[in-house]
Amino acid sequence: MFQRPQHLLSRAAKSHRVVFFEEPIRKPAAPDLPRLERHMTPSGVEVAVPILPEGMDEAASDDAQRALLDGLLAGQRPDIAWYYTPMSLGFTTHLNPVVTVYDCMDELSAFRGASPQLTLRERRLLRQADVVFTGGRSLYEAKLGLHPRVHLFTSGVDSAHFAKSRELRASGAPEPADQANIPHPRIGWFGVVDERMDLGLLDAAAALRPDWSFVMIGPVVKIDPASCPKRPNIHWLGGRKMDELPAYLAGWDCGFMNFALNESTRFISPTKTPEYLAAGVPVVSTPIKDVVRSWGAEGLVEIASSAEEAVAAMETAMSRPRESWLPKADRLLAQGSWDSIWSSMHELLRQAAATKVAGDGSLNSRAVASPNHV
């Protein structure tokens, strides 16, 4: 998945050395474990993946990851420690970076299988962080009273990338082979399929309109694949690379964000909302708070709670000519590019580094001009 972390840190890599230390992968015990697998992405981000033996408890896992990270850094002190999960505190508290960032994009403690330690570690991270970013308004409001420097940066959109769908649609370009023979109208989804998705709603909507095709793109994670509804008009195509998505979106008549309304979705601000719109695909969503406030209020996303409402909303969305809503969508999308978001974040990092250096003359002044190691 190419989401908020990838968009931001690929831009950071243009001026910094960026090492993305992934969550560990577990494998059967072997003489070469624990070990670190490393590769460089085309954007210049170095990805390091800890491979740990199965059966390690949390404390042992933290010890192993600390040793692997120290070996990777080889004694270097990072200028910026950028956190996406508070669980990483278990093996990074000794790093002493110039600036600590918490980019909070989800309420992870509400996710299925979350560690009991997560809430406690988030409190610790909020005490240590110099700056906190949030990926949605609801998260911003939830964290605002917990830290003196919380900044709202809703996720942006790579409009140029997803607008390729419009060009492909207009030109009548050939469709991906696994979608070409699926009948219209096509109702599409791309993204992770997990406990945040209301599979019952999808099943009920597909039952109401057996003449519509529901195209589902994305990996099934943390849930039993057998729980995914099986109907002749629901097509599970599996995961696809980001570069492939515009070709699929070009053939969709409507996007369906069938998020469940539960603790794991209470604070989400889905990145796919602006991505669908940038592709010229009308959108129907369940009443996720940030979607309702940001896009529903603008008349750019239809909101539905039940299967009957969803089907009616899809009919409405598909009946509206694109030229009646695309100009407004494009004006709003232009305000949220990933380049502008990263530029604003980078300035806040520069200010935080300058403040820290001013308060401690022992810190390296190069961090003021441009922190260069994340």
Side-chain angles (χ1 to χ4, degrees):
M1 304 300 294
F2 202 94
Q3 297 181 327
R4 181 184 178 96
Q6 290 79 12
H7 281 294
L8 291 174
L9 296 181
S10 63
R11 285 162 173 80
K14 295 176 182 178
S15 55
H16 304 64
R17 179 194 173 197
V18 179
V19 179
F20 198 108
F21 202 83
E22 286 273 11
E23 294 189 66
I25 292 175
R26 309 282 178 167
K27 292 189 175 181
D32 64 337
L33 298 183
R35 70 171 187 272
L36 201 61
E37 293 186 353
R38 300 164 61 182
H39 69 272
M40 191 69 70
T41 69
S43 64
V45 174
E46 181 180 352
V47 178
V49 185
I51 311 297
L52 305 183
E54 294 172 346
M56 262 192 171
D57 63 24
E58 203 164 85
S61 296
D62 283 345
D63 289 343
Q65 289 177 89
R66 185 182 301 108
L68 292 170
L69 178 59
D70 287 347
L72 172 65
L73 295 178
Q76 289 184 302
R77 175 193 182 190
D79 291 326
I80 303 172
W82 184 296
Y83 289 86
Y84 275 107
T85 169
M87 293 306 295
S88 298
L89 278 181
F91 55 90
T92 59
T93 52
H94 64 297
L95 292 180
N96 190 30
V98 175
V99 175
T100 297
V101 178
Y102 178 25
D103 188 14
C104 180
M105 54 183 283
D106 281 305
E107 190 62 65
L108 297 178
S109 61
F111 280 31
R112 181 177 298 177
S115 169
Q117 291 290 319
L118 205 149
T119 300
L120 177 61
R121 289 193 182 184
E122 184 181 63
R123 291 190 194 127
R124 289 172 53 197
L125 179 54
L126 287 166
R127 287 197 298 270
Q128 291 180 213
D130 298 293
V131 62
V132 176
F133 302 138
T134 64
R137 185 166 298 279
S138 295
L139 271 174
Y140 171 75
E141 292 168 350
K143 307 301 179 188
L144 190 56
L146 304 178
H147 193 278
R149 289 171 297 280
V150 181
H151 302 273
L152 171 62
F153 285 103
T154 57
S155 290
V157 60
D158 187 343
S159 292
H161 176 74
F162 285 96
K164 294 173 186 175
S165 296
R166 306 185 195 186
E167 301 167 10
L168 294 170
R169 187 183 299 116
S171 67
E175 294 198 60
D178 56 351
Q179 181 173 276
N181 295 322
I182 296 176
H184 287 271
R186 297 184 190 136
I187 314 301
W189 157 282
F190 72 80
V192 175
V193 179
D194 59 16
E195 76 270 22
R196 292 172 295 176
M197 180 180 280
D198 189 337
L199 296 174
L201 179 62
L202 169 65
D203 188 45
L208 286 173
R209 293 306 304 254
D211 54 323
W212 291 1
S213 301
F214 292 78
V215 179
M216 314 301 292
I217 293 176
V220 179
V221 178
K222 295 193 295 182
I223 62 172
D224 183 356
S227 67
C228 297
K230 307 293 191 298
R231 289 185 181 274
N233 62 330
I234 302 179
H235 305 268
W236 298 95
L237 302 188
R240 293 293 180 274
K241 295 179 180 177
M242 186 180 175
D243 288 346
E244 300 175 281
L245 292 178
Y248 285 91
L249 287 159
W252 292 1
D253 300 290
C254 188
F256 186 25
M257 302 198 311
N258 56 306
F259 287 108
L261 300 181
N262 57 33
E263 281 301 306
S264 66
T265 62
R266 182 181 171 192
F267 298 102
I268 65 170
S269 183
T271 58
K272 59 178 55 60
T273 315
E275 291 170 346
Y276 286 159
L277 294 173
V281 176
V283 186
V284 173
S285 174
T286 50
I288 296 299
K289 188 174 182 179
D290 280 9
V291 176
V292 173
R293 293 196 292 184
S294 298
W295 303 101
E298 296 288 345
L300 292 171
V301 172
E302 298 289 331
I303 305 298
S305 298
S306 66
E308 291 78 11
E309 290 179 3
V311 166
M314 291 172 198
E315 289 173 336
T316 298
M318 290 189 287
S319 68
R320 289 189 299 167
R322 285 187 171 89
E323 56 269 21
S324 70
W325 56 269
L326 266 182
K328 183 176 184 178
D330 286 343
R331 287 194 296 273
L332 290 178
L333 293 170
Q335 300 171 15
S337 73
W338 285 112
D339 286 338
S340 64
I341 290 170
W342 170 248
S343 178
S344 297
M345 286 181 165
H346 191 260
E347 174 59 20
L348 289 169
L349 297 183
R350 189 197 67 78
Q351 293 173 12
T355 299
K356 293 288 285 289
V357 170
D360 184 349
S362 67
L363 294 183
N364 192 331
S365 61
R366 67 186 169 83
V368 180
S370 179
N372 66 1
H373 187 126
V374 180

